[in-house]
Amino acid sequence: GAVVSQHPSWVICKSGTSVKIECRSLDFQATTMFWYRQFPKQSLMLMATSNEGSKATYEQGVEKDKFLINHASLTLSTLTVTSAHPEDSSFYICSARERTSGGYNEQFFGPGTRLTVL
Amino acid sequence: DQQVKQNSPSLSVQEGRISILNCDYTNSMFDYFLWYKKYPAEGPTFLISISSIKDKNEDGRFTVFLNKSAKHLSLHIVPSQPGDSAVYFCAASRGEGGSEKLVFGKGTKLTVNP
């Protein structure tokens, strides 16, 4: 299957700072990337959907000014957690899908980023 | 509002026996279902999927059954192996191929004992 990477794999930051997480599709062009968040013992919750070259679509209850998403190229999307607080500590996972002549392919997930806000 | 439910947080089976993981959904608009396997601190890995036009899909040791009238699906692993120990997530979408928005259950932690 296709490979999706995330960087960093884990990050610790102070409350009030901003953190940027990168999601890259390594061997395919991702027209759409999804950002999920997972709290301990909970399901993956979709935060937003980003299409290359356009604004992200956020799920209900997700603050777009706090979680800035940029999908500037077909292989890179970034999630920036602005003014992070301890309650933002979570596991953030991205997924990517490719558009082919036959339609859309399945989503491939990255390994995730563990964010801890002190 | 949990649209996809995995009511068993954990399951323990002996190596060689069958593992059955269950999943229920409430949204009748879902037409594509997927199972993912996830290890701690890693992203989900796709296992097997099924379209709503089918009631069974098999891939090696993994079989997924879908009962649309009951809004229920299950994943069977036969025979179970210690390497199958992981958290299994059920996911549903309204798009073919799981390319659309996925709604996940909370997962079931499977432990296969040697």
Side-chain angles (χ1 to χ4, degrees):
Chain A
V3 179
V4 176
S5 70
Q6 279 184 243
H7 178 80
S9 55
W10 60 270
V11 58
I12 301 173
C13 70
K14 292 183 178 180
S15 185
T17 61
S18 295
V19 174
K20 180 184 284 188
I21 302 170
E22 294 185 348
C23 177
R24 292 182 186 271
S25 56
L26 298 186
D27 50 4
F28 67 101
Q29 293 186 324
T31 51
T32 305
M33 288 185 171
F34 301 87
W35 286 95
Y36 295 83
R37 178 170 55 183
Q38 184 189 22
F39 292 108
K41 297 185 179 180
Q42 298 296 314
S43 62
L44 282 76
M45 298 296 294
L46 180 66
M47 298 174 65
T49 302
S50 77
N51 292 295
E52 186 267 338
S54 62
K55 290 184 178 180
T57 302
Y58 290 82
E59 294 299 302
Q60 192 173 13
V62 179
E63 300 175 57
K64 62 179 181 180
D65 294 330
K66 180 169 184 61
F67 299 99
L68 302 178
I69 292 173
N70 184 285
H71 192 167
S73 78
L74 286 172
T75 60
L76 173 65
S77 175
T78 60
L79 167 68
T80 301
V81 183
T82 62
S83 186
H85 288 98
E87 57 264 31
D88 298 324
S89 298
S90 186
F91 193 57
Y92 293 86
I93 306 174
C94 72
S95 70
R97 74 179 187 193
E98 176 186 29
R99 182 167 192 173
T100 65
S101 58
Y104 286 106
N105 287 339
E106 66 180 274
Q107 296 180 39
F108 296 95
F109 285 82
T113 296
R114 169 73 60 191
L115 171 62
T116 301
V117 184
L118 302 177
Chain B
D1 178 26
Q2 194 77 16
Q3 297 186 69
V4 178
K5 300 177 184 179
Q6 292 177 258
N7 292 319
S8 297
S10 63
L11 174 68
S12 183
V13 300
Q14 283 299 121
E15 181 179 5
R17 307 293 285 268
I18 183 172
S19 295
I20 300 177
L21 298 105
N22 294 302
C23 177
D24 298 288
Y25 61 96
T26 58
N27 190 339
S28 58
M29 299 298 290
F30 289 140
D31 55 12
Y32 199 80
F33 305 90
L34 309 93
W35 283 94
Y36 286 87
K37 179 179 180 181
K38 185 179 181 299
Y39 294 111
E42 293 185 10
T45 303
F46 171 74
L47 263 181
I48 192 170
S49 62
I50 188 167
S51 167
S52 60
I53 62 174
K54 296 184 177 181
D55 55 17
K56 177 183 175 181
N57 188 26
E58 190 173 353
D59 184 2
R61 297 186 296 116
F62 303 91
T63 303
V64 56
F65 295 92
L66 175 62
N67 182 335
K68 280 199 305 181
S69 61
K71 294 191 180 67
H72 175 85
L73 62 154
S74 61
L75 173 67
H76 292 211
I77 306 174
V78 180
S80 302
Q81 300 173 353
D84 296 329
S85 298
V87 178
Y88 289 78
F89 286 93
C90 170
S93 79
R94 294 176 59 178
E96 179 66 28
S99 62
E100 299 300 324
K101 170 182 172 180
L102 294 177
V103 180
F104 284 85
K106 289 187 177 182
T108 297
K109 183 177 181 180
L110 173 66
T111 302
V112 180
N113 301 303

